[in-house]
């Protein structure tokens, strides 16, 4: 990794606002950074001298004179966001202003190759400043090994990907549901809302908790791990480890569909997408299974509401984001709890990598402005 140059405080401030704005004139940079125009001129010259800012044209100033427009320079670099999903691996490479530079998708089994494809697509002269890896697990600090997945859920695939990453680049692990919640906050269904719950229902289940515009991770990084809720909870059966996730997850949903399927209904669906498509066509067995799933999700949403009172729940995940669930979830939540708005995710399965990219950009800007030194 290229070494980030040491910058003056004013250059750091101007670089940060330029990354946020994408492009700006010197007067705009002065206003955004709250610096004097002479100070900004000096800072821009400093950034240009090391390739962190570049002239990108002119704009009318409204006074008859044209003002120079600046953007990030080639030395600003790029970041990488990796979503190690349960079925697919999604990777995005972005410039430090958030613009998309590279994108790749493939199976979880081919995660390392997907990462290599994205890295190969990045501009050759753009040093990688930061990498965020989103995993379906709690992350934990391990002696001498940095952050790692806490369990075997994501450990092997993370290890396979880790060896492909450029040396010397800071790698940050984040929970996948928390990344998706961040994306919904800034770019999705929760824009303008500062407190909400992102309820993910798919192969697994999870909750992203946003309070006061910040994602809460908890003392152990395990906030929102709904799979650990005791289930079942009655006199005749003992709760089992992650039994609730086993019950609500997509695999059990398909198993219940197979058990309920009738010969006259045609081929039994083998994926959740097929099941929801058949329900949308009005197939009785599929409709009944989806409706019951909506009730189960509604009960889980009621539990979330009882603890958090979030005001808004965004349903995401491979099954949770399907709009067919909304009426049943809303009805069951209304029956069991106080009024809470429920909407479907607008980002779908891209939410995690979108949120991870946002985090990676923020980390990358910090790497440059704090002049973090690393060996090539």
């Amino acid at each position: 990794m290229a070494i980030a140059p040491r910058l003056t405080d004013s250059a750091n401030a101007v670089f940060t606002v330029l990354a946020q704005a994408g492009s700006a004139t010197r007067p705009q940079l002065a206003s955004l950074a709250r610096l004097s125009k002479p100070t900004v001129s000096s800072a821009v010259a400093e950034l240009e001298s090391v390739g962190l800012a570049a002239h990108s044209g002119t704009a009318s100033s409204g006074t008859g004179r044209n003002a120079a427009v600046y953007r990030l320079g080639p030395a600003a670099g790029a970041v990488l966001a990796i979503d190690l999903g349960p079925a697919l691996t999604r990777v995005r490479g972005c410039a430090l202003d958030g613009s998309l530079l590279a994108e790749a998708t493939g199976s979880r089994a081919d995660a390392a190759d997907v990462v290599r494809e994205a890295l190969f697509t990045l501009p050759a002269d753009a040093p990688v400043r930061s990498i965020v890896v989103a995993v379906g697990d709690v992350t934990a600090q391990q002696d001498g090994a940095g952050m790692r997945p806490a369990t075997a859920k994501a450990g092997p695939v993370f290890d396979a990907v880790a060896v492909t990453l450029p040396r010397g680049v800071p790698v940050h692990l984040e929970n996948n549901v928390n990344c998706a919640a961040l994306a919904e906050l800034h770019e999705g269904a929760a824009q303008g809302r500062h407190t909400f719950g992102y309820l993910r229902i798919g192969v697994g289940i999870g909750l992203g908790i946003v309070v006061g515009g910040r994602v809460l991770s908890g003392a152990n990084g395990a906030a929102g791990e709904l799979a650990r809720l005791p289930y079942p909870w009655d006199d005749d059966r003992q709760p089992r480890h992650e039994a609730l996730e086993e019950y609500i997850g997509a695999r059990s949903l398909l198993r219940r569909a197979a058990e309920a399927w009738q010969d006259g209904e045609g081929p039994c669906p083998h994926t959740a997408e097929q099941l929801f498509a058949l329900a949308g066509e009005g197939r009785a067995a599929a409709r009944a299974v989806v409706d019951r799933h909506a009730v189960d999700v509604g009960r889980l949403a009621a539990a979330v509401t009882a603890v958090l009172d979030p005001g808004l729940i965004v349903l995401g995940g491979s099954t949770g984001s399907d709009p067919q669930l909304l009426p049943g979830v809303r009805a069951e939540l209304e029956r069991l709890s106080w009024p809470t708005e429920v909407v479907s995710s607008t980002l779908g399965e891209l939410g995690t990598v979108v949120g991870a990219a946002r985090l990676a950009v923020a980390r990358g800007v910090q790497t440059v402005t704090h002049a973090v030194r690393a060996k090539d």
Side-chain angles (χ1 to χ4, degrees):
M1 183 184 101
I3 297 175
R6 295 191 179 279
L7 303 172
T8 61
D9 290 344
S10 58
N12 278 336
V14 170
F15 181 85
T16 299
V17 298
L18 185 57
Q20 294 170 346
S23 63
T25 64
R26 292 187 189 188
Q28 289 170 335
L29 291 172
S31 176
L32 291 169
R34 297 183 178 181
L35 296 172
S36 68
K37 291 181 181 179
T39 300
V40 166
S41 294
S42 176
V44 168
E46 180 183 347
L47 293 173
E48 283 188 292
S49 70
V50 292
L52 292 176
H55 183 266
S56 65
T58 58
S60 174
S61 65
T63 61
R65 299 178 61 185
N66 289 333
V69 178
Y70 295 89
R71 57 173 173 78
L72 295 185
V79 298
L80 205 65
I82 305 169
D83 171 19
L84 299 180
L88 294 177
T89 296
R90 293 182 173 88
V91 184
R92 282 190 170 189
C94 297
L96 266 64
D97 62 4
S99 58
L100 186 65
L101 299 175
E103 198 167 22
T105 303
S107 70
R108 182 182 175 92
D110 297 326
D113 291 334
V114 178
V115 173
R116 290 190 189 96
E117 178 185 344
L119 284 169
F120 181 77
T121 309
L122 288 176
D125 60 349
V128 179
R129 299 296 189 186
S130 177
I131 299 171
V132 168
V133 183
V135 296
D137 198 357
V138 176
T139 60
Q141 187 77 32
Q142 293 188 1
D143 293 341
M147 294 299 293
R148 306 275 299 168
T151 72
K153 278 184 177 181
V157 68
F158 173 76
D159 290 341
V161 164
V163 299
T164 71
L165 302 178
R167 292 187 178 183
V169 180
V171 178
H172 310 275
L173 263 67
E174 300 287 347
N175 177 265
N176 59 350
V177 179
N178 287 346
C179 287
L182 183 69
E184 296 291 345
L185 171 66
H186 291 284
E187 303 177 44
Q191 290 183 80
R193 305 292 285 266
H194 298 290
T195 298
F196 69 95
Y198 171 79
L199 182 56
R200 183 169 188 156
I201 309 293
V203 174
I205 62 175
L207 177 69
I209 304 168
V210 176
V211 176
R214 298 176 64 88
V215 177
L216 301 185
S217 58
N220 298 297
E225 288 293 308
L226 298 181
R228 300 298 179 93
L229 285 174
Y231 178 86
W233 198 354
D234 59 33
D235 293 336
D236 300 323
R237 294 181 294 174
Q238 289 290 325
R240 303 189 317 278
H241 180 72
E242 297 187 350
L244 182 61
E245 181 172 79
E246 179 184 334
Y247 172 74
I248 293 184
R251 295 186 182 92
S252 291
L253 177 65
L254 292 173
R255 184 168 60 250
R256 287 193 289 276
E259 293 169 353
W261 215 251
Q262 302 295 321
D263 292 338
E265 293 281 350
C268 181
H270 296 292
T271 67
E273 291 78 9
Q274 292 173 355
L275 173 64
F276 278 86
L278 292 172
E281 294 172 4
R283 300 288 185 92
R287 185 72 263 165
V289 172
V290 169
D291 287 346
R292 176 51 199 265
H293 190 53
V295 170
D296 290 333
V297 174
R299 292 173 180 175
L300 186 56
V304 169
T305 301
V307 175
L308 296 178
D309 186 22
L312 170 68
I313 290 179
V314 178
L315 295 179
S318 58
T319 63
S321 59
D322 194 294
Q324 294 182 77
L325 290 183
L326 279 176
V329 173
R330 287 169 173 165
E332 189 68 1
L333 178 56
E334 182 179 3
R335 186 180 76 85
L336 294 173
S337 192
W338 42 82
T340 300
E341 185 180 358
V342 183
V343 299
S344 297
S345 164
T346 58
L347 297 174
E349 290 298 287
L350 291 178
T352 294
V353 75
V354 168
R358 176 173 285 274
L359 288 172
V361 166
R363 298 278 193 176
V365 171
Q366 289 176 357
T367 297
V368 173
T369 57
H370 287 80
V372 175
R373 303 183 68 85
K375 294 180 180 180
D376 289 328

